[in-house]
Amino acid sequence: FQYADDFFVALNLTRAPNRFWNLSIFKKTPNRHMACHPAAFDMYKYDDVRIRMCTSVTSRDFYVVHHEMGHIQHYLQYKNLPFWFRRSPHGAFSEGIGDAIALAAMSPTHLKRIGLLENYSSSKEDNIKFLVSQALSRLFLPPYAYALELWRWSVYNGSILPSEYNKRYWDLICQYQGMKPPEVRGERYFDAGTKLHIAFDLTYLKYFLAHVFQFQIFDVLCHEAGNRGPLHLCDLHGSVAAGKKLKVLLGMGSSKPWEDILEEFAGVKTFSAKSCLKYFQPLRDYLEKLVADGQLHVGWKCENNGFSTRSFIPTTIWLILILKFILSNIFFPL
């Protein structure tokens, strides 16, 4: 948490107040039942912001901490606004901002700078390994989120009937993710309902958009920081210019329409996947070469609908390549 706080201070942003350190929960209290899902809270007082997290000292939690501290920084930047504007202008903004900061924190260049990564030579092999690990954590969710929300809204509009809830759920999961359950799941099961966001009727599409938006944010900040190398190696640490740009995104809360805030920040009024493609370009090139050499098969078929990934538009084929590539035997050991 102190690493994450120092990261924001190095961008000339706001240090977490003493109240944050005194009132947050950073690890699980022994012999006490408590919710452990990481969450950041704005208590709607001037400097009362908190985090609840059962943290472990792992690379995964290092990432999550920076994400949650991104929320905290968001709260601190718009704390002077009237109460009604002290929230994110769009669900994808808050999640995307946290993930963009986590992207910066997990950059090999940054990890090497702070002494948490050794023997990283930035060779082609090292870069491919890093990008595969990033793809594993970031590119699996968008097709799932899309399939989940498509299922939900098809239920709402009546095109999916109660008698086929489970079948149609798995049809969509296969169609967009290329996954199926290990055994047949009949209608006595309600597998979609195991997802908290379905059971509690919470939107999930914001995570789909946030997984696109995070790269858009990161790209803009890296441009401000003067990055000239590959996007995945960008290190924002110490860039006051990037911090000044980030304040534009954080400080307005919901006082303007999200399209206007995005235009002021990125020069466009809509979310774009161009920066995501740019980030993973070296991996995309590598996978496409394997396909051209006949070493990697693209696509899958679903038994129920005969769907094949080859019907995808060319610009999205590379996402499927990553999924298949990870499961193949040709990849050198990580």
Side-chain angles (χ1 to χ4, degrees):
F1 285 92
Q2 291 170 345
Y3 268 117
D5 194 38
D6 289 342
F7 180 85
F8 286 107
V9 172
L11 296 179
N12 198 32
L13 295 176
T14 305
R15 185 176 291 281
N18 290 334
R19 188 188 294 260
F20 167 80
W21 301 105
N22 294 333
L23 299 178
S24 293
I25 297 176
F26 299 121
K27 59 183 180 180
K28 191 177 187 306
T29 304
N31 302 318
R32 181 178 179 183
H33 177 74
M34 57 183 289
C36 279
H37 186 77
F41 302 92
D42 183 358
M43 307 306 289
Y44 294 98
K45 295 181 180 179
Y46 183 72
D47 63 348
D48 193 349
V49 291
R50 311 179 192 181
I51 278 178
R52 180 208 64 214
M53 182 173 171
C54 301
T55 319
S56 300
V57 184
T58 63
S59 60
R60 171 63 184 170
D61 276 6
F62 188 76
Y63 160 83
V64 173
V65 163
H66 280 78
H67 174 95
E68 297 302 329
M69 289 294 280
H71 291 308
I72 293 298
Q73 191 63 218
H74 200 178
Y75 304 153
L76 292 174
Q77 290 301 319
Y78 63 50
K79 67 182 181 181
N80 293 317
L81 293 176
F83 171 82
W84 301 109
F85 298 139
R86 290 178 62 175
R87 57 188 176 87
S88 176
H90 188 289
F93 267 58
S94 57
E95 297 300 327
I97 289 166
D99 276 341
I101 297 304
L103 266 180
M106 297 305 289
S107 162
T109 313
H110 179 69
L111 292 176
K112 192 171 183 178
R113 173 201 292 272
I114 61 178
L116 293 180
L117 184 64
E118 298 178 355
N119 303 320
Y120 187 85
S121 61
S122 196
S123 64
K124 179 180 178 180
E125 183 175 330
D126 279 344
N127 279 285
I128 293 298
K129 286 181 177 180
F130 171 72
L131 287 173
V132 167
S133 70
Q134 289 290 77
L136 279 167
S137 63
R138 297 174 188 277
L139 296 183
F140 277 64
L141 185 137
Y144 171 72
Y146 181 77
L148 190 70
E149 291 290 44
L150 186 57
W151 177 89
R152 190 205 312 249
W153 286 104
S154 296
V155 168
Y156 287 166
N157 67 26
S159 59
I160 292 181
L161 302 176
S163 60
E164 55 180 3
Y165 276 173
N166 219 42
K167 176 185 180 300
R168 294 292 297 278
Y169 169 77
W170 283 110
D171 284 351
L172 289 168
I173 293 298
C174 182
Q175 179 175 340
Y176 292 103
Q177 279 196 291
M179 296 177 63
K180 64 180 182 180
E183 58 185 31
V184 177
R185 304 286 293 177
E187 292 305 318
R188 63 185 288 244
Y189 301 106
F190 183 52
D191 293 324
T194 63
K195 184 64 180 175
L196 178 142
H197 295 72
I198 294 295
F200 287 13
D201 194 26
L202 303 173
T203 180
Y204 206 65
L205 196 60
K206 67 177 181 180
Y207 298 103
F208 174 93
L209 294 171
H211 272 62
V212 172
F213 190 38
Q214 62 180 281
F215 294 99
Q216 195 172 0
I217 297 171
F218 187 57
D219 196 5
V220 171
L221 296 180
C222 287
H223 177 76
E224 290 296 317
N227 178 63
R228 296 293 179 267
L231 186 57
H232 69 278
L233 295 179
C234 168
D235 183 8
L236 296 178
H237 188 274
S239 174
V240 175
K244 183 178 179 181
K245 191 71 171 179
L246 186 56
K247 281 186 178 181
V248 172
L249 197 62
L250 300 178
M252 287 186 277
S254 59
S255 61
K256 292 183 179 181
W258 70 266
E259 296 92 340
D260 294 344
I261 296 175
L262 182 56
E263 184 178 32
E264 190 170 338
F265 172 73
V268 294
K269 279 197 167 188
T270 187
F271 301 116
S272 171
K274 291 181 180 179
S275 296
C276 180
L277 294 170
K278 179 180 176 181
Y279 185 92
F280 287 105
Q281 189 64 49
L283 179 57
R284 180 181 181 180
D285 293 341
Y286 182 69
L287 294 175
E288 288 181 344
K289 184 177 184 303
L290 292 179
V291 172
D293 293 342
Q295 299 183 56
L296 192 61
H297 172 71
V298 182
W300 62 81
K301 288 187 178 181
C302 299
E303 296 176 2
N304 293 329
N305 54 24
F307 179 84
S308 171
T309 55
R310 291 191 183 278
S311 65
F312 267 63
I313 58 175
T315 54
T316 59
I317 284 288
W318 70 280
L319 294 173
I320 297 137
L321 294 181
I322 292 170
L323 301 178
K324 301 300 290 183
F325 177 65
I326 292 165
L327 298 176
S328 71
N329 294 321
I330 63 174
F331 186 57
F332 45 79
L334 288 176

